[in-house]
Amino acid sequence: MHFHILTLFPEMVMDGLHTSITGRAVKNGHITIDATNIRDFAGNKHGHVDDYPYGGGAGMVMQPGPVFDAYQHVCDKIQNRKSAGMNLKPEDEKKVRVVYMTPQGTVFNQSLAEDLAKEEDLILLCGHYEGIDERVLDRIVTDHISIGDYVLTGGELPAMVVIDAVSRLVPGVLNNDVSAEFETFHDHLLEYPQYTRPEEFMGEKVPAVLLSGHHKNIEAWRYEQSVMRTKERRPDLWELHDKRNKKDQ
Ligand code: ADE
């Protein structure tokens, strides 16, 4: 899968995503991540990409021209990669999804991550200041995504969150293929507690059932723990799980 980030701070996203599991996924060729600096498309020698909002108000607004040109540059790169060795015409091209990171978007969750993981390419657009001129958003954006009901200084951290959550669903990125399937949010349940060595820590022992080697009992214990945890910590999720169970019966 190929991630393309449009940003004013390429080093921020590239540094963050080239460490840990996403970094390893890039090295192993399971994903690619490139960042395009919108400022490179400023079209003026000062590198200005923002201006005062029409109608007045606080802050600055990112201008449509540099954003559109940066987007076009990324689209051309994708087109060139796809048509290398093939005779693809532009009209054969499936439109690449463009995700604008904004607190005004749909709140990101696991099922949205699963949906995005089906794409071959994904463009993530990061805003700054008071936002981006609406005309370019109308033209290029397919999805508006928020990572929660709070306002950050820019879209870079949200884009990194989305890329992290989506890339771990790409086959091969996690060592253990089943681990993305049986985890928190699967079936609207939180994951059960995990334990590792030592068997006793500060006087507290690992639950005996986990040492029993009895797989049926372990599974039952884990399910029970998941249920308890979900009811206590995320009653909203528990309601969804319960509703689904009742519907399936
Ligand atoms: N940009 C600023 N705040 C944001 C948020 N909560 N989600 C996505 N993008 C943002």
Side-chain angles (χ1 to χ4, degrees), residues 101-103 145-148 150-152 154-155 158:
M101 306 313 309
T102 166
I145 295 182
S146 162
I147 60 160
Y150 42 83
V151 182
L152 299 167

Coordinates of all heavy atoms in Angstrom, one line a residue, residues 101-103 145-148 150-152 154-155 158, ligand 1:
M101 N -7.5 15.6 6.9 CA -7.5 15.5 8.3 C -8.1 16.8 8.9 O -7.5 17.8 8.8 CB -6.1 15.2 8.9 CG -5.3 14.1 8.3 SD -6.2 12.5 8.1 CE -6.8 12.3 9.8
T102 N -9.3 16.6 9.6 CA -9.9 17.8 10.1 C -10.8 17.4 11.3 O -11.4 16.4 11.3 CB -10.8 18.5 9.0 OG1 -11.7 19.4 9.6 CG2 -11.7 17.5 8.2
P103 N -10.9 18.3 12.3 CA -11.8 18.0 13.4 C -13.2 18.0 13.0 O -14.1 17.6 13.8 CB -11.5 19.1 14.5 CG -10.7 20.1 13.7 CD -10.1 19.5 12.6
I145 N -11.7 13.2 7.7 CA -11.6 12.4 8.9 C -11.0 13.1 10.1 O -10.0 13.9 10.0 CB -10.7 11.1 8.6 CG1 -11.4 10.3 7.6 CG2 -10.4 10.3 9.9 CD1 -10.7 9.0 7.2
S146 N -11.6 12.9 11.3 CA -11.1 13.5 12.5 C -10.6 12.3 13.4 O -11.1 11.2 13.3 CB -12.3 14.2 13.2 OG -12.0 14.4 14.6
I147 N -9.6 12.6 14.2 CA -9.2 11.5 15.1 C -9.8 11.7 16.5 O -9.5 11.0 17.5 CB -7.7 11.4 15.2 CG1 -7.0 12.6 15.7 CG2 -7.1 10.9 13.9 CD1 -5.6 12.3 16.3
G148 N -10.7 12.7 16.7 CA -11.4 12.8 18.0 C -11.9 14.3 18.2 O -11.4 15.2 17.4
Y150 N -11.3 17.1 19.6 CA -10.4 18.0 20.2 C -9.7 18.7 19.0 O -9.6 18.1 17.9 CB -9.4 17.4 21.2 CG -8.9 16.1 20.7 CD1 -7.8 16.0 19.8 CD2 -9.5 14.9 21.1 CE1 -7.3 14.8 19.4 CE2 -9.0 13.7 20.6 CZ -7.9 13.6 19.8 OH -7.5 12.4 19.3
V151 N -9.1 19.9 19.2 CA -8.5 20.5 18.1 C -6.9 20.5 18.3 O -6.4 21.0 19.3 CB -9.0 22.0 17.9 CG1 -8.3 22.7 16.7 CG2 -10.5 22.0 17.8
L152 N -6.2 20.0 17.3 CA -4.8 20.0 17.3 C -4.3 21.2 16.4 O -5.0 21.8 15.7 CB -4.3 18.7 16.7 CG -4.8 17.4 17.5 CD1 -4.5 16.2 16.7 CD2 -4.0 17.4 18.8
G154 N -2.4 20.9 13.8 CA -2.3 20.6 12.4 C -2.7 19.2 12.2 O -3.0 18.4 13.1
G155 N -2.7 18.8 10.9 CA -3.2 17.5 10.5 C -2.2 16.4 10.5 O -2.4 15.2 10.2
P158 N -2.7 13.6 13.3 CA -3.9 12.7 12.8 C -3.5 11.8 11.6 O -3.9 10.7 11.6 CB -4.9 13.7 12.5 CG -4.6 14.9 13.4 CD -3.1 15.0 13.5
Ligands
ADE1 N1 -6.6 18.8 12.8 C1 -6.8 19.4 13.9 N2 -7.4 18.7 14.8 C2 -7.7 17.5 14.3 C3 -8.4 16.4 14.7 N3 -8.9 16.3 15.9 N4 -8.6 15.4 13.8 C4 -8.1 15.5 12.6 N5 -7.4 16.5 12.1 C5 -7.3 17.6 12.9

